[in-house]
Amino acid sequence: MSACSGSVDTDIFSIFGSSKPPLPCPRVEVLPGAETITLFREGEGRDLVDVRFEGIIVPFSGQCQYVDDDTAVVVELILRIGATKGPAAESQTEEFPFFVAIAERSGEIIAKEVFYSPLEVEEGRRRATVQEELQQRIPLTGLKTGGDYVIIIGFQLTREQLEL
């Protein structure tokens, strides 16, 4: 019975080799409606024959780490962008604009940055994928943890693309 005994102030997490519970990472999500993009040739046409490229943000992975005595969380993301070359494409390459935003759980955006991902489709092929590795640092104030934030990813769409 003595092997099972312990005092009231026993730290349950020390049994598993950690002195405190792991802190939560920010949630990462793709903004609904911004997960795809269609790039048309210049001009009025918006039919299938006018499509230069179509893009999609495909599943991503990542991890987070608390730094500076838990006063900041660094999130490392791996984002994949898939593209299909359309009939109006005049080259094998295209740049896809995408954004990464940091929001509080309330929905308030506190930071946003737009990136451009160049993608090249091999000659004789119609599809390609590029992988982007990003790092986001979120300073933590008060009692906030990474779990109080959401990282939002999506294509940076024009008004016309959004309406499509």
PDB file of all heavy atoms in Angstrom, residues 10-18:
ATOM      1  N   THR A  10       1.018  16.472  -4.424  1.00  0.00           N
ATOM      2  CA  THR A  10       1.747  15.755  -5.472  1.00  0.00           C
ATOM      3  C   THR A  10       1.388  16.350  -6.830  1.00  0.00           C
ATOM      4  O   THR A  10       0.210  16.538  -7.140  1.00  0.00           O
ATOM      5  CB  THR A  10       1.382  14.253  -5.457  1.00  0.00           C
ATOM      6  OG1 THR A  10       1.768  13.731  -4.208  1.00  0.00           O
ATOM      7  CG2 THR A  10       2.082  13.515  -6.575  1.00  0.00           C
ATOM      8  N   ASP A  11       2.401  16.654  -7.625  1.00  0.00           N
ATOM      9  CA  ASP A  11       2.188  17.212  -8.968  1.00  0.00           C
ATOM     10  C   ASP A  11       1.981  16.060  -9.941  1.00  0.00           C
ATOM     11  O   ASP A  11       2.909  15.329 -10.252  1.00  0.00           O
ATOM     12  CB  ASP A  11       3.396  18.061  -9.380  1.00  0.00           C
ATOM     13  CG  ASP A  11       3.225  18.727 -10.734  1.00  0.00           C
ATOM     14  OD1 ASP A  11       2.203  18.495 -11.398  1.00  0.00           O
ATOM     15  OD2 ASP A  11       4.138  19.486 -11.114  1.00  0.00           O
ATOM     16  N   ILE A  12       0.756  15.862 -10.384  1.00  0.00           N
ATOM     17  CA  ILE A  12       0.418  14.744 -11.271  1.00  0.00           C
ATOM     18  C   ILE A  12       1.239  14.758 -12.554  1.00  0.00           C
ATOM     19  O   ILE A  12       1.579  13.722 -13.101  1.00  0.00           O
ATOM     20  CB  ILE A  12      -1.104  14.723 -11.576  1.00  0.00           C
ATOM     21  CG1 ILE A  12      -1.502  13.452 -12.347  1.00  0.00           C
ATOM     22  CG2 ILE A  12      -1.507  15.913 -12.418  1.00  0.00           C
ATOM     23  CD1 ILE A  12      -1.500  12.217 -11.512  1.00  0.00           C
ATOM     24  N   PHE A  13       1.615  15.942 -13.063  1.00  0.00           N
ATOM     25  CA  PHE A  13       2.355  16.037 -14.323  1.00  0.00           C
ATOM     26  C   PHE A  13       3.806  15.603 -14.172  1.00  0.00           C
ATOM     27  O   PHE A  13       4.431  15.176 -15.126  1.00  0.00           O
ATOM     28  CB  PHE A  13       2.253  17.447 -14.906  1.00  0.00           C
ATOM     29  CG  PHE A  13       0.844  17.792 -15.246  1.00  0.00           C
ATOM     30  CD1 PHE A  13       0.114  18.639 -14.427  1.00  0.00           C
ATOM     31  CD2 PHE A  13       0.229  17.238 -16.355  1.00  0.00           C
ATOM     32  CE1 PHE A  13      -1.197  18.932 -14.723  1.00  0.00           C
ATOM     33  CE2 PHE A  13      -1.085  17.534 -16.656  1.00  0.00           C
ATOM     34  CZ  PHE A  13      -1.806  18.375 -15.838  1.00  0.00           C
ATOM     35  N   SER A  14       4.349  15.689 -12.930  1.00  0.00           N
ATOM     36  CA  SER A  14       5.735  15.260 -12.727  1.00  0.00           C
ATOM     37  C   SER A  14       5.876  13.755 -12.874  1.00  0.00           C
ATOM     38  O   SER A  14       6.953  13.260 -13.155  1.00  0.00           O
ATOM     39  CB  SER A  14       6.250  15.734 -11.371  1.00  0.00           C
ATOM     40  OG  SER A  14       5.523  15.109 -10.337  1.00  0.00           O
ATOM     41  N   ILE A  15       4.801  13.026 -12.706  1.00  0.00           N
ATOM     42  CA  ILE A  15       4.824  11.577 -12.906  1.00  0.00           C
ATOM     43  C   ILE A  15       5.183  11.255 -14.348  1.00  0.00           C
ATOM     44  O   ILE A  15       5.860  10.289 -14.636  1.00  0.00           O
ATOM     45  CB  ILE A  15       3.446  10.963 -12.538  1.00  0.00           C
ATOM     46  CG1 ILE A  15       3.178  11.167 -11.052  1.00  0.00           C
ATOM     47  CG2 ILE A  15       3.394   9.487 -12.914  1.00  0.00           C
ATOM     48  CD1 ILE A  15       1.768  10.815 -10.636  1.00  0.00           C
ATOM     49  N   PHE A  16       4.747  12.084 -15.262  1.00  0.00           N
ATOM     50  CA  PHE A  16       4.968  11.860 -16.687  1.00  0.00           C
ATOM     51  C   PHE A  16       6.171  12.625 -17.221  1.00  0.00           C
ATOM     52  O   PHE A  16       6.331  12.774 -18.425  1.00  0.00           O
ATOM     53  CB  PHE A  16       3.712  12.233 -17.480  1.00  0.00           C
ATOM     54  CG  PHE A  16       2.502  11.453 -17.035  1.00  0.00           C
ATOM     55  CD1 PHE A  16       1.505  12.059 -16.299  1.00  0.00           C
ATOM     56  CD2 PHE A  16       2.395  10.104 -17.331  1.00  0.00           C
ATOM     57  CE1 PHE A  16       0.409  11.343 -15.876  1.00  0.00           C
ATOM     58  CE2 PHE A  16       1.294   9.379 -16.898  1.00  0.00           C
ATOM     59  CZ  PHE A  16       0.303   9.997 -16.172  1.00  0.00           C
ATOM     60  N   GLY A  17       6.988  13.173 -16.363  1.00  0.00           N
ATOM     61  CA  GLY A  17       8.226  13.831 -16.794  1.00  0.00           C
ATOM     62  C   GLY A  17       8.076  15.306 -17.121  1.00  0.00           C
ATOM     63  O   GLY A  17       8.982  15.936 -17.610  1.00  0.00           O
ATOM     64  N   SER A  18       6.932  15.882 -16.869  1.00  0.00           N
ATOM     65  CA  SER A  18       6.724  17.296 -17.141  1.00  0.00           C
ATOM     66  C   SER A  18       6.237  17.958 -15.862  1.00  0.00           C
ATOM     67  O   SER A  18       5.420  17.400 -15.143  1.00  0.00           O
ATOM     68  CB  SER A  18       5.685  17.477 -18.251  1.00  0.00           C
ATOM     69  OG  SER A  18       5.380  18.842 -18.420  1.00  0.00           O
TER      70      SER A  18
END
